[in-house]
Amino acid sequence: MSDHGHPPKSTENTASEEENSSSTGSEDGDNNWDDWVEDVQNTPAFSLFDDHQFPTAEAALTYDKETHGFDLVSVCKSLELDTHQRLRLVNYIRSERPPAADLSHLQGSEVFLSDDKYLKPAQIDDPLLQLQMNEWSSDSDEEGPLGKPSGDGSKHPESQTLRRKVRHLEERLAKAQRELVDYRRLVNTRISNVTSIGGIDLDEVRKEDSPEVSPRDDDTHYFESYNEQAIHYTMLTDRVRTTTYATFILSNPSLFQGAVVMDVGCGTGILSLLAAQAGAKRVIAVEASKIADKAEAIFKGSGYADVITLVRSKVEDLKTLPDDITRVDVIISEWMGYALLYESMLDSVLHARDRFLKPNTTPLSSTDQPNGGRGGVMAPSQCRMMLALCDPQSLIKQHVTFWNDVYGFNMSAMAAEVYDDAIIDHVSKECLLSAPSSIKVDTFFHLRNN
């Protein structure tokens, strides 16, 4: 699994890293947002209901719970509020200052929870807006409305199982569509090797009936796999992925307001839209597949066509940016695939970093420039590859023993090669036999694009 959307809090600090910090410290300061995260963590937090100030957001929430009887985290969980609704709730309380007692009867259907004017922060750099997703969320598949495991029967366990099966089938469909592209290519190759049938010269027939087609580059089949709707539906319905990005972007206005942002491989444009909603001055959405046509229509339909510029190209082929823009303040991208690296898109993001990301040219204390003058930022800037032992019984039943009796027939031959393939599947936390362990940690600003 991969962590993405916000930088993990790293506690590792090897001796080699300490030695390198003296020689590359300027580069680290130029590009990583760790210093910015530290600033956010040190930002004082105010009570939602009075002027008391606290050193951390957690202390402010505890004070509101004990003094005013309002538990923000519990309310968000019990009402199953999504990312936008949680942000609106905090900003509504900050703006309108309702009594805490009036909030004890919230139903989740209040008008202000769908009013976009409350997406605008009532307090700049409000730490309560910057609480991480795992401190708020209660809508994952593993949890019920009050944070209880759904397996206890508290809320339609059959529905949870069906949703997992649907997601699994959608992923298999997306994979099948990619394989179909390769299969068509194989069939065309085989047919092209046949020269004649019944004395008819097929080469001559091909010349007469087939238009000239220029050979495609090696990336064509990759981009063709993203032309279909199914794969984008699968990604957008991945709530952990999408809401993590949304939380980071919308709760950090100081990073995006007035900034020039590049979205590498924008797909349907969800990250570009979130950046524009967060106040970006300009968003450059780069997409090489045909889904770019849909993305452009989405930008227009959402009212952000004047902020988001779609560029139909691979980022490696870009020589210049629109309107003489030379550098961007922020690069966002959802490049991660199965086992983190499956889609092999990291090279493209690193190319964009080296070619277009702004270096640090102003003091960290600057307040009149996007991102406080901190220089270029990548989101995410770090990733972790995790490994854990898993009880294989459910997978064996689904992928191996299933074939032993299929409508009364022995099809076990189908399972002969199962162990040679990787299996991508959802497993419950009860199946884990060990704690997850980090086997690889990378900070993108230190990676080289080879």
Side-chain angles (χ1 to χ4, degrees):
M1 66 185 295
S2 63
D3 288 355
H4 54 279
H6 58 273
K9 298 178 181 178
S10 176
T11 56
E12 298 88 359
N13 189 14
T14 63
S16 62
E17 289 174 339
E18 292 175 349
E19 293 170 359
N20 292 337
S21 65
S22 60
S23 60
T24 65
S26 62
E27 293 182 5
D28 295 348
D30 291 352
N31 295 317
N32 206 331
W33 75 59
D34 288 343
D35 292 335
W36 173 81
V37 171
E38 184 177 353
D39 291 343
V40 169
Q41 293 171 343
N42 293 332
T43 301
F46 287 89
S47 165
L48 287 168
F49 303 100
D50 56 43
D51 295 330
H52 281 80
Q53 179 176 328
F54 302 89
T56 65
E58 289 77 8
L61 292 178
T62 300
Y63 169 82
D64 285 343
K65 179 179 179 180
E66 295 176 352
T67 304
H68 297 284
F70 181 76
D71 188 341
L72 178 63
V73 175
S74 294
V75 168
C76 291
K77 287 184 177 180
S78 64
L79 297 179
E80 299 185 83
L81 301 185
D82 62 25
T83 301
H84 293 78
Q85 290 173 320
R86 291 189 290 266
L87 297 177
R88 291 184 182 109
L89 175 58
V90 172
N91 291 322
Y92 169 78
I93 297 174
R94 295 280 194 210
S95 302
E96 309 300 335
R97 306 302 292 268
D102 292 352
L103 300 173
S104 60
H105 304 293
L106 291 176
Q107 300 297 317
S109 57
E110 286 73 13
V111 174
F112 71 82
L113 289 176
S114 59
D115 191 339
D116 284 352
K117 78 175 184 179
Y118 292 114
L119 287 176
K120 181 178 180 180
Q123 180 184 105
I124 298 300
D125 291 336
D126 187 350
L128 297 190
L129 297 178
Q130 298 162 4
L131 291 176
Q132 297 298 335
M133 191 65 195
N134 57 2
E135 298 174 52
W136 293 75
S137 179
S138 64
D139 53 11
S140 65
D141 285 341
E142 290 76 16
E143 294 184 353
L146 295 177
K148 298 178 181 178
S150 61
D152 65 358
S154 62
K155 183 180 179 183
H156 306 299
E158 297 86 356
S159 299
Q160 302 287 358
T161 301
L162 288 174
R163 282 197 292 271
R164 284 194 293 271
K165 288 182 178 179
V166 168
R167 283 199 303 273
H168 175 65
L169 291 173
E170 288 166 348
E171 290 171 355
R172 291 178 62 183
L173 174 61
K175 179 182 177 183
Q177 288 173 328
R178 291 193 294 269
E179 291 175 345
L180 178 60
V181 173
D182 292 332
Y183 177 72
R184 285 173 175 168
R185 194 165 110 188
L186 175 62
V187 170
N188 289 335
T189 301
R190 294 291 178 86
I191 292 176
S192 65
N193 293 330
V194 179
T195 58
S196 65
I197 296 178
I200 300 175
D201 189 340
L202 295 184
D203 287 335
E204 292 299 323
V205 173
R206 293 189 187 101
K207 290 179 181 178
E208 294 174 2
D209 296 343
S210 301
E212 289 291 329
V213 179
S214 58
R216 69 181 187 180
D217 63 87
D218 293 337
D219 291 335
T220 298
H221 74 282
Y222 171 81
F223 291 112
E224 284 181 350
S225 70
Y226 285 91
N227 292 341
E228 304 298 330
Q229 183 185 44
I231 190 170
H232 296 283
Y233 177 84
T234 299
M235 290 189 293
L236 290 173
T237 52
D238 182 344
R239 294 186 63 84
V240 174
R241 162 196 178 272
T242 306
T243 56
T244 297
Y245 274 93
T247 298
F248 172 76
I249 294 172
L250 295 177
S251 63
N252 293 299
S254 63
L255 184 64
F256 287 90
Q257 284 182 352
V260 178
V261 179
M262 173 181 283
D263 182 0
V264 179
C266 72
T268 55
I270 182 64
L271 300 186
S272 296
L273 291 167
L274 289 168
Q277 189 177 69
K281 176 177 66 176
R282 190 69 177 275
V283 180
I284 301 171
V286 183
E287 178 57 52
S289 76
K290 292 181 180 178
I291 201 67
D293 296 333
K294 300 289 183 64
E296 187 170 45
I298 290 170
F299 298 151
K300 292 179 180 178
S302 301
Y304 286 107
D306 58 334
V307 177
I308 306 174
T309 299
L310 181 69
V311 178
R312 292 174 172 81
S313 172
K314 294 190 295 184
V315 73
E316 292 87 349
D317 294 339
L318 282 182
K319 303 303 181 184
T320 59
L321 298 180
D323 298 337
D324 298 324
I325 295 174
T326 57
R327 296 283 179 173
V328 300
D329 301 297
V330 181
I331 290 178
I332 54 175
S333 180
E334 204 294 271
W335 56 267
M336 290 75 77
Y338 301 128
L340 191 63
L341 301 176
Y342 174 76
E343 294 188 39
S344 302
M345 188 180 163
L346 179 57
D347 286 345
S348 298
V349 178
L350 296 180
H351 177 89
R353 174 203 66 183
D354 297 339
R355 177 66 180 84
F356 297 112
L357 189 61
K358 181 182 296 184
N360 188 13
T361 56
T362 55
L364 289 178
S365 59
S366 174
T367 59
D368 59 351
Q369 298 191 32
N371 190 27
R374 288 177 174 82
V377 168
M378 293 180 68
S381 69
Q382 299 179 12
C383 64
R384 289 185 295 171
M385 188 178 293
M386 309 294 292
L387 182 69
L389 295 178
C390 176
D391 183 348
Q393 293 306 313
S394 62
L395 296 177
I396 289 177
K397 181 178 180 180
Q398 181 180 357
H399 298 280
V400 180
T401 60
F402 165 81
W403 297 105
N404 294 341
D405 184 356
V406 182
Y407 299 103
F409 299 100
N410 184 347
M411 297 187 179
S412 57
M414 295 293 296
E417 299 176 354
V418 167
Y419 293 99
D420 296 330
D421 297 327
I423 295 176
I424 300 163
D425 210 340
H426 295 274
V427 296
S428 66
K429 59 184 178 182
E430 288 79 11
C431 292
L432 294 183
L433 301 178
S434 71
S437 177
S438 177
I439 62 173
K440 183 66 174 177
V441 179
D442 278 321
T443 302
F444 301 148
F445 292 104
H446 301 149
L447 291 177
R448 294 183 179 276
N449 184 8
N450 295 323

